[in-house]
Coordinates of all heavy atoms in Angstrom, one line a residue:
G121 N 41.9 -28.4 63.1 CA 40.4 -28.3 63.3 C 39.9 -26.9 63.5 O 39.0 -26.4 62.9
H122 N 40.7 -26.1 64.3 CA 40.3 -24.7 64.5 C 40.5 -23.9 63.2 O 39.6 -23.0 62.9 CB 41.1 -24.2 65.7 CG 40.7 -24.4 67.1 ND1 39.5 -24.0 67.5 CD2 41.2 -25.2 67.9 CE1 39.2 -24.5 68.7 NE2 40.3 -25.3 69.0
F123 N 41.5 -24.1 62.5 CA 41.7 -23.5 61.2 C 40.6 -23.7 60.4 O 39.9 -22.7 59.7 CB 43.0 -23.8 60.6 CG 43.0 -23.5 59.1 CD1 43.2 -22.1 58.8 CD2 42.8 -24.3 58.1 CE1 43.0 -21.7 57.5 CE2 42.7 -24.1 56.7 CZ 42.9 -22.6 56.5
L124 N 40.1 -25.0 60.2 CA 39.0 -25.2 59.3 C 37.7 -24.6 59.7 O 37.0 -24.2 58.9 CB 38.9 -26.8 59.2 CG 40.1 -27.6 58.5 CD1 39.9 -29.1 58.8 CD2 40.2 -27.2 57.1
L125 N 37.4 -24.6 60.9 CA 36.3 -23.9 61.5 C 36.3 -22.4 61.2 O 35.3 -21.8 60.8 CB 36.1 -24.2 63.0 CG 35.8 -25.6 63.4 CD1 35.8 -25.7 64.9 CD2 34.3 -25.9 62.9
G126 N 37.5 -21.8 61.3 CA 37.6 -20.4 61.0 C 37.4 -20.1 59.6 O 36.7 -19.2 59.2
A127 N 38.0 -21.0 58.7 CA 37.8 -20.7 57.2 C 36.4 -20.9 56.8 O 35.9 -20.2 56.0 CB 38.7 -21.8 56.5
S128 N 35.7 -22.0 57.4 CA 34.3 -22.2 57.1 C 33.5 -20.9 57.5 O 32.6 -20.5 56.7 CB 33.8 -23.4 57.9 OG 32.4 -23.6 57.6
A129 N 33.7 -20.4 58.7 CA 32.9 -19.2 59.1 C 33.2 -18.0 58.1 O 32.2 -17.3 57.8 CB 33.3 -18.8 60.5
L130 N 34.4 -17.8 57.8 CA 34.7 -16.7 56.9 C 34.1 -16.9 55.5 O 33.5 -15.9 55.0 CB 36.2 -16.6 56.9 CG 36.7 -15.3 56.1 CD1 36.4 -14.1 56.9 CD2 38.2 -15.4 55.9
F131 N 34.2 -18.0 54.9 CA 33.7 -18.2 53.6 C 32.2 -18.2 53.6 O 31.4 -17.9 52.7 CB 34.2 -19.5 53.0 CG 35.7 -19.5 52.8 CD1 36.4 -20.5 53.0 CD2 36.4 -18.3 52.6 CE1 37.8 -20.6 52.9 CE2 37.8 -18.2 52.3 CZ 38.5 -19.4 52.5
R132 N 31.5 -18.8 54.7 CA 30.1 -19.0 54.7 C 29.4 -17.7 55.1 O 28.3 -17.3 54.5 CB 29.7 -20.0 55.8 CG 28.3 -20.5 55.8 CD 27.9 -21.6 56.8 NE 28.3 -21.1 58.1 CZ 29.3 -21.4 58.8 NH1 30.2 -22.4 58.4 NH2 29.5 -21.1 60.1
E133 N 30.0 -16.9 56.0 CA 29.4 -15.7 56.6 C 29.7 -14.4 55.8 O 29.1 -13.4 55.9 CB 29.6 -15.6 58.0 CG 29.1 -16.7 58.9 CD 27.6 -16.8 58.9 OE1 26.9 -15.8 58.7 OE2 27.1 -18.0 59.1
G134 N 30.9 -14.5 55.1 CA 31.4 -13.3 54.5 C 32.4 -12.6 55.4 O 32.5 -12.9 56.6
T135 N 33.1 -11.7 54.8 CA 34.2 -11.0 55.5 C 33.7 -10.3 56.8 O 34.3 -10.3 57.9 CB 34.9 -10.0 54.6 OG1 35.5 -10.8 53.5 CG2 36.0 -9.3 55.4
V136 N 32.6 -9.5 56.7 CA 32.1 -8.7 57.8 C 31.7 -9.5 58.9 O 32.1 -9.3 60.0 CB 31.0 -7.7 57.3 CG1 30.4 -7.0 58.5 CG2 31.6 -6.8 56.3
K137 N 30.8 -10.4 58.7 CA 30.3 -11.2 59.8 C 31.2 -12.4 60.2 O 31.2 -12.7 61.4 CB 29.0 -11.9 59.3 CG 27.8 -10.9 59.2 CD 26.5 -11.6 58.8 CE 25.3 -10.7 58.7 NZ 24.1 -11.4 58.3
G138 N 32.0 -12.9 59.3 CA 32.8 -14.0 59.6 C 34.1 -13.7 60.2 O 34.8 -14.6 60.8
T139 N 34.7 -12.5 60.1 CA 36.0 -12.2 60.5 C 36.2 -12.4 62.0 O 37.2 -12.9 62.5 CB 36.5 -10.8 60.1 OG1 36.6 -10.8 58.7 CG2 37.7 -10.3 60.7
P140 N 35.2 -11.9 62.9 CA 35.5 -12.1 64.3 C 35.8 -13.6 64.7 O 36.7 -13.9 65.4 CB 34.2 -11.6 64.9 CG 33.8 -10.5 64.0 CD 34.1 -11.1 62.6
Q141 N 35.0 -14.5 64.2 CA 35.1 -15.9 64.6 C 36.4 -16.4 63.9 O 37.1 -17.2 64.5 CB 34.0 -16.7 64.1 CG 34.2 -18.3 64.5 CD 33.1 -19.2 64.0 OE1 32.0 -18.7 63.6 NE2 33.3 -20.5 63.9
A142 N 36.7 -16.0 62.7 CA 37.9 -16.4 61.9 C 39.2 -16.0 62.8 O 40.1 -16.8 62.9 CB 38.0 -15.8 60.6
L143 N 39.2 -14.8 63.3 CA 40.4 -14.3 64.1 C 40.5 -15.1 65.4 O 41.6 -15.5 65.8 CB 40.3 -12.9 64.3 CG 40.5 -12.0 63.1 CD1 40.2 -10.5 63.4 CD2 42.0 -12.0 62.5
A144 N 39.3 -15.4 65.9 CA 39.4 -16.2 67.2 C 39.9 -17.6 67.0 O 40.7 -18.1 67.8 CB 38.0 -16.3 67.8
E145 N 39.5 -18.2 65.9 CA 40.0 -19.5 65.6 C 41.4 -19.5 65.2 O 42.2 -20.4 65.5 CB 39.2 -20.1 64.4 CG 37.7 -20.3 64.6 CD 37.3 -21.4 65.6 OE1 38.2 -22.1 66.1 OE2 36.1 -21.6 66.0
L146 N 41.8 -18.4 64.5 CA 43.2 -18.4 64.1 C 44.1 -18.3 65.3 O 45.3 -18.8 65.4 CB 43.5 -17.2 63.2 CG 44.8 -17.0 62.5 CD1 45.1 -18.2 61.5 CD2 44.9 -15.8 61.6
R147 N 43.7 -17.5 66.4 CA 44.5 -17.5 67.6 C 44.6 -18.9 68.2 O 45.7 -19.3 68.8 CB 43.8 -16.6 68.6 CG 44.1 -15.1 68.3 CD 43.6 -14.3 69.4 NE 42.2 -14.2 69.6 CZ 41.3 -13.3 69.0 NH1 41.9 -12.4 68.1 NH2 40.1 -13.3 69.2
Q148 N 43.5 -19.8 68.1 CA 43.5 -21.1 68.7 C 44.6 -21.9 67.8 O 45.2 -22.8 68.4 CB 42.2 -21.7 68.6 CG 41.2 -21.1 69.6 CD 41.3 -21.6 70.9 OE1 42.3 -21.4 71.6 NE2 40.3 -22.4 71.3
V149 N 44.6 -21.7 66.5 CA 45.5 -22.5 65.6 C 46.9 -22.3 66.2 O 47.6 -23.3 66.3 CB 45.4 -21.9 64.1 CG1 46.5 -22.5 63.3 CG2 44.1 -22.3 63.6
Y150 N 47.3 -21.2 66.4 CA 48.7 -21.0 66.8 C 49.0 -21.3 68.2 O 50.1 -21.7 68.6 CB 49.2 -19.5 66.5 CG 49.5 -19.3 65.0 CD1 48.5 -18.6 64.2 CD2 50.6 -19.8 64.4 CE1 48.7 -18.5 62.8 CE2 50.9 -19.7 63.1 CZ 50.0 -19.1 62.3 OH 50.2 -19.0 61.0
E151 N 47.9 -21.3 69.0 CA 48.1 -21.8 70.4 C 48.4 -23.2 70.4 O 49.3 -23.8 71.1 CB 46.9 -21.6 71.2 CG 46.8 -22.1 72.6 CD 45.5 -21.8 73.4 OE1 44.9 -20.8 73.1 OE2 45.3 -22.5 74.3
Y152 N 47.6 -24.1 69.6 CA 47.8 -25.5 69.5 C 49.1 -25.8 68.8 O 49.8 -26.9 69.0 CB 46.7 -26.1 69.0 CG 45.5 -26.3 70.0 CD1 44.3 -25.5 69.9 CD2 45.6 -27.3 70.9 CE1 43.4 -25.7 70.9 CE2 44.6 -27.5 71.9 CZ 43.5 -26.6 71.9 OH 42.5 -26.7 72.8
M153 N 49.4 -25.1 67.8 CA 50.7 -25.3 67.1 C 51.9 -25.1 68.0 O 52.8 -25.9 68.0 CB 50.8 -24.3 65.9 CG 50.1 -24.7 64.6 SD 50.8 -26.0 63.8 CE 49.8 -26.0 62.3
D154 N 51.8 -24.1 68.9 CA 52.9 -23.9 69.8 C 53.0 -25.1 70.8 O 54.1 -25.4 71.2 CB 52.6 -22.6 70.6 CG 52.9 -21.3 69.7 OD1 53.5 -21.4 68.6 OD2 52.4 -20.2 70.1
K155 N 51.9 -25.5 71.2 CA 51.9 -26.7 72.1 C 52.5 -27.9 71.4 O 53.3 -28.7 72.1 CB 50.4 -27.1 72.5 CG 49.8 -26.1 73.5 CD 48.4 -26.6 73.9 CE 47.7 -25.5 74.9 NZ 46.4 -26.0 75.3
A156 N 52.1 -28.2 70.2 CA 52.8 -29.3 69.4 C 54.3 -29.0 69.3 O 55.1 -30.0 69.5 CB 52.1 -29.5 68.1
E157 N 54.7 -27.8 69.0 CA 56.1 -27.5 68.8 C 56.9 -27.6 70.1 O 58.1 -28.1 70.1 CB 56.3 -26.2 68.2 CG 57.7 -25.9 67.7 CD 57.8 -24.7 66.8 OE1 56.7 -23.9 66.6 OE2 58.8 -24.6 66.1
A158 N 56.3 -27.4 71.2 CA 56.9 -27.6 72.5 C 57.2 -29.1 72.7 O 58.2 -29.4 73.5 CB 56.0 -27.0 73.6
I159 N 56.4 -30.0 72.2 CA 56.7 -31.4 72.4 C 57.9 -31.9 71.5 O 58.7 -32.6 71.9 CB 55.4 -32.1 72.1 CG1 54.3 -31.8 73.1 CG2 55.6 -33.7 72.1 CD1 52.9 -32.3 72.6
S160 N 57.9 -31.4 70.3 CA 58.9 -31.9 69.4 C 59.1 -30.8 68.3 O 58.5 -30.8 67.3 CB 58.6 -33.2 68.8 OG 59.7 -33.6 67.8
S161 N 60.1 -29.9 68.5 CA 60.2 -28.8 67.6 C 60.9 -29.1 66.3 O 60.7 -28.4 65.3 CB 61.2 -27.7 68.3 OG 62.5 -28.2 68.4
T162 N 61.4 -30.3 66.1 CA 62.1 -30.8 64.8 C 61.2 -31.8 64.1 O 61.6 -32.4 63.2 CB 63.4 -31.2 65.1 OG1 63.4 -32.4 65.9 CG2 64.3 -30.2 65.7
D163 N 60.0 -32.1 64.6 CA 59.2 -33.1 64.0 C 58.9 -32.7 62.6 O 58.4 -31.7 62.3 CB 57.9 -33.2 64.8 CG 57.0 -34.4 64.3 OD1 57.3 -35.5 64.4 OD2 56.0 -34.0 63.6
P164 N 59.1 -33.7 61.6 CA 58.9 -33.4 60.2 C 57.4 -33.0 59.8 O 57.1 -32.2 59.1 CB 59.4 -34.6 59.5 CG 60.2 -35.3 60.5 CD 59.7 -35.0 61.8
E165 N 56.5 -33.8 60.5 CA 55.1 -33.5 60.1 C 54.6 -32.1 60.7 O 54.0 -31.4 59.9 CB 54.3 -34.5 61.0 CG 52.8 -34.4 61.0 CD 52.1 -35.4 62.0 OE1 52.8 -36.1 62.7 OE2 50.9 -35.5 61.8
L166 N 55.0 -31.8 61.8 CA 54.7 -30.4 62.4 C 55.3 -29.4 61.5 O 54.6 -28.4 61.2 CB 55.3 -30.4 63.8 CG 55.3 -29.0 64.4 CD1 53.9 -28.4 64.6 CD2 56.1 -28.9 65.6
N167 N 56.6 -29.4 61.1 CA 57.3 -28.5 60.4 C 56.8 -28.4 59.0 O 56.8 -27.3 58.4 CB 58.7 -28.7 60.4 CG 59.4 -28.3 61.8 OD1 59.6 -27.0 62.0 ND2 59.7 -29.2 62.7
L168 N 56.3 -29.4 58.4 CA 55.7 -29.3 57.0 C 54.5 -28.4 57.1 O 54.3 -27.5 56.3 CB 55.4 -30.7 56.5 CG 55.0 -30.7 55.0 CD1 56.0 -30.2 54.1 CD2 54.4 -32.1 54.6
L169 N 53.6 -28.8 58.0 CA 52.3 -28.0 58.0 C 52.5 -26.6 58.5 O 52.1 -25.7 57.8 CB 51.3 -28.7 58.9 CG 49.9 -28.1 59.1 CD1 49.2 -27.8 57.7 CD2 49.1 -28.9 59.9
R170 N 53.3 -26.5 59.4 CA 53.5 -25.1 60.0 C 54.3 -24.2 59.0 O 54.1 -23.0 58.8 CB 54.2 -25.0 61.3 CG 54.4 -23.7 61.9 CD 54.4 -23.6 63.4 NE 54.2 -22.3 64.0 CZ 54.0 -22.0 65.2 NH1 54.1 -23.0 66.2 NH2 53.8 -20.7 65.6
G171 N 55.3 -24.9 58.3 CA 56.1 -24.2 57.3 C 55.2 -23.6 56.2 O 55.3 -22.5 55.8
Y172 N 54.3 -24.5 55.7 CA 53.3 -24.0 54.7 C 52.4 -22.9 55.1 O 52.2 -21.9 54.5 CB 52.5 -25.2 54.2 CG 53.0 -25.9 53.0 CD1 53.8 -27.0 53.1 CD2 52.7 -25.4 51.7 CE1 54.2 -27.7 52.0 CE2 53.2 -26.1 50.5 CZ 54.0 -27.2 50.7 OH 54.4 -27.9 49.6
M173 N 51.9 -23.0 56.3 CA 51.0 -22.0 56.9 C 51.7 -20.7 57.1 O 51.3 -19.6 56.7 CB 50.4 -22.4 58.2 CG 49.4 -23.7 58.0 SD 48.7 -24.2 59.6 CE 47.7 -22.8 59.9
D174 N 52.9 -20.8 57.7 CA 53.8 -19.5 57.8 C 54.1 -18.9 56.6 O 54.1 -17.6 56.5 CB 54.9 -19.8 58.7 CG 54.7 -20.2 60.1 OD1 53.5 -19.9 60.6 OD2 55.6 -20.6 60.9
L175 N 54.4 -19.7 55.5 CA 54.7 -19.1 54.3 C 53.5 -18.4 53.7 O 53.8 -17.3 53.2 CB 55.1 -20.3 53.4 CG 55.5 -20.0 52.0 CD1 56.8 -19.0 52.1 CD2 55.8 -21.2 51.2
M176 N 52.3 -18.9 53.7 CA 51.2 -18.3 53.2 C 50.8 -17.0 53.9 O 50.4 -16.0 53.3 CB 50.0 -19.3 53.1 CG 50.1 -20.4 52.2 SD 50.6 -20.0 50.5 CE 52.2 -20.7 50.4
V177 N 50.9 -17.1 55.2 CA 50.7 -15.8 56.0 C 51.8 -14.8 55.6 O 51.3 -13.6 55.5 CB 50.8 -16.2 57.5 CG1 50.7 -14.9 58.4 CG2 49.5 -17.0 57.9
S178 N 53.0 -15.2 55.5 CA 54.0 -14.2 55.2 C 53.8 -13.5 53.9 O 54.1 -12.3 53.7 CB 55.4 -14.8 55.3 OG 55.6 -15.7 54.2
V179 N 53.2 -14.2 52.9 CA 53.0 -13.6 51.6 C 51.8 -12.6 51.7 O 51.9 -11.7 50.9 CB 52.7 -14.8 50.6 CG1 52.1 -14.2 49.3 CG2 53.8 -15.6 50.3
N180 N 50.9 -12.8 52.6 CA 49.8 -12.0 52.7 C 49.9 -10.9 53.7 O 49.0 -10.0 53.7 CB 48.5 -12.8 52.9 CG 48.1 -13.6 51.7 OD1 47.4 -13.1 50.9 ND2 48.5 -14.8 51.6
L181 N 50.8 -10.9 54.6 CA 51.0 -9.8 55.6 C 52.3 -9.1 55.4 O 53.3 -9.6 55.2 CB 50.9 -10.5 57.0 CG 49.6 -10.9 57.5 CD1 49.8 -11.5 58.9 CD2 48.6 -9.7 57.6
P182 N 52.2 -7.7 55.5 CA 53.4 -7.0 55.5 C 54.4 -7.3 56.6 O 53.8 -7.6 57.7 CB 52.9 -5.5 55.4 CG 51.6 -5.5 56.1 CD 51.0 -6.9 55.8
F183 N 55.6 -7.0 56.5 CA 56.5 -7.1 57.7 C 56.7 -8.6 58.0 O 57.3 -8.8 59.2 CB 56.1 -6.2 58.8 CG 55.8 -4.8 58.4 CD1 54.5 -4.3 58.6 CD2 56.7 -4.0 57.8 CE1 54.2 -3.1 58.2 CE2 56.4 -2.7 57.4 CZ 55.1 -2.2 57.6
S184 N 56.2 -9.5 57.3 CA 56.5 -11.0 57.7 C 57.7 -11.4 56.8 O 58.1 -10.9 55.9 CB 55.2 -11.8 57.3 OG 54.1 -11.4 58.1
N185 N 58.3 -12.6 57.3 CA 59.5 -12.9 56.7 C 59.3 -14.4 56.1 O 59.4 -15.4 56.9 CB 60.6 -13.0 57.8 CG 62.0 -13.4 57.2 OD1 62.0 -13.6 56.0 ND2 62.9 -13.8 58.1
P186 N 59.1 -14.5 54.9 CA 59.0 -15.8 54.2 C 60.2 -16.6 54.2 O 60.1 -17.9 54.2 CB 58.6 -15.5 52.8 CG 59.0 -14.1 52.5 CD 59.0 -13.3 53.8
E187 N 61.4 -16.0 54.4 CA 62.6 -16.8 54.5 C 62.6 -17.7 55.6 O 63.2 -18.8 55.6 CB 63.8 -15.8 54.5 CG 64.1 -15.0 53.2 CD 64.8 -15.8 52.2 OE1 65.0 -17.0 52.3 OE2 65.1 -15.1 51.1
Q188 N 62.0 -17.3 56.7 CA 62.0 -18.1 57.9 C 61.1 -19.4 57.7 O 61.5 -20.4 58.1 CB 61.4 -17.3 59.1 CG 61.4 -18.0 60.4 CD 61.0 -17.1 61.6 OE1 60.3 -16.2 61.4 NE2 61.4 -17.4 62.8
A189 N 60.0 -19.2 57.0 CA 59.2 -20.4 56.7 C 59.9 -21.3 55.7 O 59.9 -22.5 55.8 CB 57.8 -19.9 56.0
I190 N 60.7 -20.7 54.7 CA 61.4 -21.6 53.8 C 62.5 -22.3 54.5 O 62.6 -23.5 54.3 CB 62.1 -20.6 52.7 CG1 61.0 -20.1 51.8 CG2 63.1 -21.5 51.9 CD1 61.5 -19.1 50.8
G191 N 63.1 -21.7 55.5 CA 64.2 -22.4 56.3 C 63.6 -23.6 57.1 O 64.2 -24.6 57.2
R192 N 62.4 -23.4 57.7 CA 61.7 -24.4 58.4 C 61.4 -25.6 57.5 O 61.7 -26.8 57.9 CB 60.3 -23.9 59.0 CG 59.6 -25.0 59.8 CD 58.2 -24.4 60.1 NE 58.3 -23.4 61.2 CZ 58.3 -23.6 62.4 NH1 58.3 -24.9 62.9 NH2 58.3 -22.6 63.3
L193 N 61.0 -25.4 56.3 CA 60.7 -26.4 55.3 C 62.0 -27.1 54.9 O 62.0 -28.4 54.8 CB 59.9 -25.9 54.1 CG 58.6 -25.4 54.3 CD1 58.1 -24.6 53.1 CD2 57.6 -26.6 54.6
Q194 N 63.0 -26.4 54.7 CA 64.3 -27.0 54.2 C 64.9 -27.9 55.3 O 65.5 -28.9 55.0 CB 65.2 -25.9 53.8 CG 64.8 -25.2 52.4 CD 65.8 -24.1 52.1 OE1 66.2 -23.3 53.0 NE2 66.1 -24.0 50.8
R195 N 64.9 -27.4 56.5 CA 65.7 -28.1 57.7 C 64.9 -29.3 58.2 O 65.6 -30.3 58.5 CB 66.0 -27.0 58.7 CG 67.0 -26.0 58.4 CD 67.5 -25.2 59.6 NE 66.4 -24.6 60.3 CZ 65.9 -23.4 60.0 NH1 66.5 -22.7 59.0 NH2 65.0 -22.9 60.7
F196 N 63.7 -29.2 58.4 CA 62.9 -30.1 59.2 C 61.8 -30.9 58.6 O 61.4 -31.9 59.1 CB 62.4 -29.5 60.5 CG 63.5 -28.8 61.3 CD1 63.4 -27.5 61.6 CD2 64.5 -29.4 61.8 CE1 64.4 -26.8 62.3 CE2 65.5 -28.8 62.6 CZ 65.4 -27.5 62.9
A197 N 61.2 -30.3 57.5 CA 60.0 -30.9 57.0 C 60.2 -32.1 56.0 O 61.3 -32.2 55.4 CB 59.2 -29.8 56.3
G198 N 59.2 -32.9 55.8 CA 59.3 -33.9 54.9 C 57.9 -34.5 54.5 O 56.9 -34.0 55.3
P199 N 57.7 -35.2 53.5 CA 58.7 -35.7 52.6 C 59.2 -34.7 51.6 O 58.6 -33.6 51.5 CB 57.9 -36.8 51.8 CG 56.5 -36.4 51.8 CD 56.3 -35.7 53.2
K200 N 60.2 -35.1 50.9 CA 60.9 -34.1 50.0 C 60.0 -33.4 49.0 O 60.1 -32.3 48.7 CB 62.1 -34.8 49.3 CG 63.4 -34.8 50.2 CD 64.0 -33.4 50.4 CE 65.3 -33.5 51.3 NZ 65.8 -32.2 51.5
Y201 N 59.1 -34.3 48.4 CA 58.4 -33.7 47.3 C 57.4 -32.7 47.7 O 56.9 -31.9 46.9 CB 57.7 -34.9 46.4 CG 56.7 -35.7 47.2 CD1 55.4 -35.3 47.4 CD2 57.1 -36.9 47.7 CE1 54.5 -36.1 48.0 CE2 56.2 -37.8 48.3 CZ 54.9 -37.3 48.5 OH 54.1 -38.2 49.2
L202 N 57.0 -32.7 49.0 CA 56.2 -31.6 49.5 C 57.0 -30.5 50.2 O 56.6 -29.3 50.0 CB 55.2 -32.2 50.5 CG 53.9 -32.8 49.9 CD1 53.2 -33.7 50.9 CD2 53.1 -31.8 49.3

Side-chain angles (χ1 to χ4, degrees):
H122 279 292
F123 163 73
L124 294 169
L125 290 174
S128 175
L130 189 65
F131 298 144
R132 191 179 60 251
E133 301 293 336
T135 302
V136 175
K137 291 184 178 181
T139 292
Q141 182 180 343
L143 288 172
E145 299 290 355
L146 192 58
R147 284 192 290 270
Q148 293 276 69
V149 169
Y150 283 102
E151 178 182 331
Y152 281 103
M153 281 283 187
D154 288 344
K155 288 180 180 180
E157 192 160 11
I159 295 168
S160 179
S161 62
T162 60
D163 182 74
E165 172 185 11
L166 166 69
N167 281 282
L168 185 67
L169 180 54
R170 185 152 195 172
Y172 266 96
M173 292 180 70
D174 288 349
L175 183 63
M176 296 304 113
V177 170
S178 70
V179 168
N180 286 277
L181 282 180
F183 312 115
S184 298
N185 182 11
E187 293 280 6
Q188 189 173 22
I190 290 171
R192 180 188 288 274
L193 289 167
Q194 289 176 318
R195 290 193 301 272
F196 302 121
K200 279 289 183 184
Y201 61 83
L202 277 168

